[in-house]
């Protein structure tokens, strides 16, 4: 466990933040990392006593698992011990960079290889280790085989922050698709994320809707929507139906437009005892992800094939269509579990990972999150 050689004071979405980058060079899984950042500054009491004050900086949400790299952030607002250095939205660098000011960072976590605690401590001097108006650069690169790997030589790389962060806007340049029903039963609009020049699936709810259609034998046409820059034709489409620009949503013959995952599943694949769609029950929004994961993992027989294996086959065929050879055929150990775990929900993936069945749900959840981060550092 190591810390970068400097820290950044910059802005994220208009908020002034302090960023600290940490790295685990072994890239093994560290569970429940406890990270504390103390701002050390001299303090003199009214009674004449002098000492180094230790003011803890509250961090934004920290991941429940850490593998290769982790950047933690602290918002510098009126509640922050560093808020006194902000005047009229200007950060007083000279006062902050007094040679007596420092940051102390400690990390404590559970090593899953040696089953013991790991700890590291790093001290930054504000006078020489602070970098302003820059943020850390990406540490990933492709090796000679095209695999995405972490490059620890980039641990300290930074780049200038834009003066104003432009909010996501509609993309008017994406041509609208043809929404005919000549040989199609349903158009499914799925959430996506643009990586390079490719738009990849990035919405677990959309994949559940797609899997439900496939399981019911519907002829499906999927349209991936860049959630960071939704195309104008999609915004116009949902506006015509008075709906929110969210995924998944579906268009059926006759102009029937359905939104909301639970309603989409209930409409396309009504509950018939096999667990694919949402059972007639009130499911609170906060439980939807776990509910879909549970429904996807119910091993109810469908003919000679269990529902669980059928769902996995449908989704694996989906990846086959999108990526060429199936993950297992490419020899990428663990990727199949990761990809299908992303779209099926945690329960199904947990059932596939031997040795985890006896753990409490919270621990299985943490391990799966850590596994996903761990594998994402190594797969294409």
């Amino acid at each position: 466990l190591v810390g970068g050689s400097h820290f950044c004071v910059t802005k994220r979405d208009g908020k002034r933040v302090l960023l600290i980058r940490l790295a685990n060079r072994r890239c093994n899984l560290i569970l429940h990392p406890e990270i504390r950042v103390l701002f050390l500054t001299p303090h003199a009491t009214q009674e004449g006593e002098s000492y180094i004050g230790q003011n803890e900086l509250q961090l934004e949400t920290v991941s429940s698992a850490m593998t290769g790299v982790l950047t933690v952030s602290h918002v510098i607002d009126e509640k922050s011990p560093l808020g006194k250095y902000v005047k009229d939205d200007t950060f007083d660098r000279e006062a902050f960079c007094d040679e007596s000011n420092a940051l102390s960072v400690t990390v404590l976590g559970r090593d899953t290889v040696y089953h013991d605690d790991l700890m590291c401590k790093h001290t930054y001097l504000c006078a020489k280790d602070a970098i302003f108006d820059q943020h850390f650069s990406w540490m990933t690169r492709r090796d000679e085989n095209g695999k995405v790997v972490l490059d620890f030589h980039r641990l300290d790389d930074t780049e200038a922050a834009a003066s104003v962060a432009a909010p996501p806007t509609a993309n008017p340049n994406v041509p609208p698709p043809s929404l005919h029903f000549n040989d199609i039963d349903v158009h499914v609009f799925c959430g996506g994320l643009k990586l390079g020049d490719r738009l990849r699936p990035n919405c677990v709810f959309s994949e559940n809707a797609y899997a439900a259609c496939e399981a019911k034998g519907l002829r499906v046409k999927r349209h991936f929507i860049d959630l960071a820059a939704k195309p104008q034709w999609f915004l116009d489409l949902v506006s015509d139906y008075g709906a929110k620009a969210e995924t998944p949503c579906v268009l059926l013959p006759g102009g029937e437009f359905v939104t909301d995952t639970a309603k989409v599943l209930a409409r396309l694949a009504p509950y018939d005892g096999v667990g694919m769609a949402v059972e007639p029950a009130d499911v609170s929004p906060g439980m939807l992800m776990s509910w879909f994961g549970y429904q996807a993992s119910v091993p109810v027989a469908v003919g000679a094939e269990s529902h669980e294996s059928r769902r996995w086959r449908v989704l694996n065929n989906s990846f086959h269509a999108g990526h060429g050879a199936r993950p297992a055929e490419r020899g990428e150990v663990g990727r199949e579990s990761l990809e299908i775990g992303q779209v099926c929900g945690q329960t199904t993936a947990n059932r596939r990972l031997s040795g985890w069945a006896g753990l409490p749900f919270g621990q299985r959840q943490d391990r799966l999150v850590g596994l996903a981060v761990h594998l994402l550092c190594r797969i294409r």
Side-chain angles (χ1 to χ4, degrees):
L1 286 175
V2 296
S5 61
H6 51 253
F7 64 91
C8 299
V9 177
T10 184
K11 284 192 174 183
R12 275 184 172 178
D13 295 328
K15 296 180 180 180
R16 195 177 307 276
V17 295
L18 181 145
L19 304 176
I20 297 173
R21 176 176 273 180
L22 305 168
N24 173 23
R25 292 186 178 273
R26 289 193 300 155
C27 286
N28 62 310
L29 185 62
I30 300 176
L31 291 178
H32 307 295
E34 298 179 8
I35 304 171
R36 298 187 65 188
V37 179
L38 300 178
F39 177 55
L40 310 180
T41 186
H43 179 76
T45 67
Q46 298 177 358
E47 295 77 17
E49 178 189 6
S50 297
Y51 64 92
I52 300 297
Q54 301 184 28
N55 303 284
E56 184 164 4
L57 305 184
Q58 296 298 319
L59 302 179
E60 294 187 287
T61 304
V62 176
S63 172
S64 59
M66 175 182 176
T67 53
V69 63
L70 179 65
T71 300
V72 297
S73 62
H74 164 74
V75 177
I76 304 175
D77 54 18
E78 63 278 1
K79 299 178 182 179
S80 167
L82 306 182
K84 62 183 179 181
Y85 297 108
V86 180
K87 298 179 181 178
D88 299 326
D89 199 36
T90 300
F91 195 78
D92 191 342
R93 303 182 184 183
E94 182 177 356
F96 176 73
C97 292
D98 185 279
E99 61 181 10
S100 300
N101 293 340
L103 295 177
S104 175
V105 182
T106 57
V107 183
L108 176 66
R110 188 72 174 178
D111 189 307
T112 57
V113 175
Y114 295 102
H115 302 285
D116 202 354
D117 290 336
L118 288 179
M119 192 275 287
C120 78
K121 182 177 183 297
H122 193 87
T123 301
Y124 296 95
L125 301 179
C126 297
K128 73 180 189 68
D129 297 329
I131 294 182
F132 296 93
D133 299 328
Q134 296 193 47
H135 54 254
F136 291 106
S137 304
W138 282 100
M139 285 180 58
T140 56
R141 63 172 177 82
R142 292 189 180 274
D143 63 12
E144 60 277 5
N145 297 318
K147 297 287 186 180
V148 177
V149 297
L150 277 176
D151 186 349
F152 287 100
H153 292 97
R154 299 180 181 179
L155 178 63
D156 297 319
D157 288 359
T158 60
E159 55 190 70
S163 56
V164 178
T169 57
N171 188 345
N173 300 320
V174 178
S178 174
L179 300 178
H180 65 82
F181 290 94
N182 296 337
D183 55 353
I184 295 171
D185 296 318
V186 57
H187 291 276
V188 181
F189 304 94
C190 306
L193 176 67
K194 196 164 188 179
L195 298 176
D197 58 351
R198 298 183 61 187
L199 193 59
R200 303 290 295 273
N202 190 50
C203 176
V204 61
F205 301 105
S206 299
E207 294 298 329
N208 272 280
Y210 171 68
C213 294
E214 288 288 314
K216 290 296 181 180
L218 300 175
R219 296 172 297 176
V220 182
K221 175 64 176 179
R222 285 195 293 178
H223 307 276
F224 289 104
I225 307 301
D226 187 350
L227 297 179
K230 297 171 183 175
Q232 188 61 49
W233 66 261
F234 177 70
L235 298 180
D236 293 339
L237 176 68
V238 297
S239 177
D240 291 341
Y241 290 96
K244 295 181 180 180
E246 300 175 346
T247 58
C249 50
V250 300
L251 180 63
L252 297 162
E256 182 181 0
F257 193 75
V258 185
T259 61
D260 185 87
T261 308
K263 294 179 181 178
V264 168
L265 292 178
R267 173 63 179 84
L268 297 178
Y271 181 75
D272 57 8
V274 298
M276 176 60 75
V278 176
E279 185 178 4
D282 293 328
V283 182
S284 63
M287 291 295 294
L288 280 177
M289 182 71 76
S290 297
W291 176 260
F292 293 147
Y294 167 74
Q295 291 290 84
S297 66
V298 177
V300 180
V302 180
E305 185 179 19
S306 73
H307 169 69
E308 182 183 37
S309 62
R310 181 179 183 180
R311 181 183 177 83
W312 278 71
R313 175 173 55 78
V314 168
L315 289 170
N316 198 35
N317 289 340
S318 166
F319 291 125
H320 175 58
H323 305 298
R326 293 178 176 85
E329 295 171 358
R330 292 197 300 264
E332 298 180 17
V333 178
R335 178 169 180 174
E336 183 177 30
S337 294
L338 171 62
E339 287 183 322
I340 299 182
Q342 288 176 316
V343 299
C344 284
Q346 299 171 25
T347 307
T348 301
N350 285 347
R351 291 169 62 90
R352 304 287 295 188
L353 301 175
S354 61
W356 292 13
L359 295 175
F361 177 78
Q363 292 185 27
R364 286 186 284 128
Q365 182 184 38
D366 291 341
R367 289 196 179 191
L368 182 62
V369 171
L371 175 64
V373 176
H374 182 71
L375 292 176
L376 281 171
C377 295
R378 290 165 169 75
I379 62 176
R380 188 178 311 179

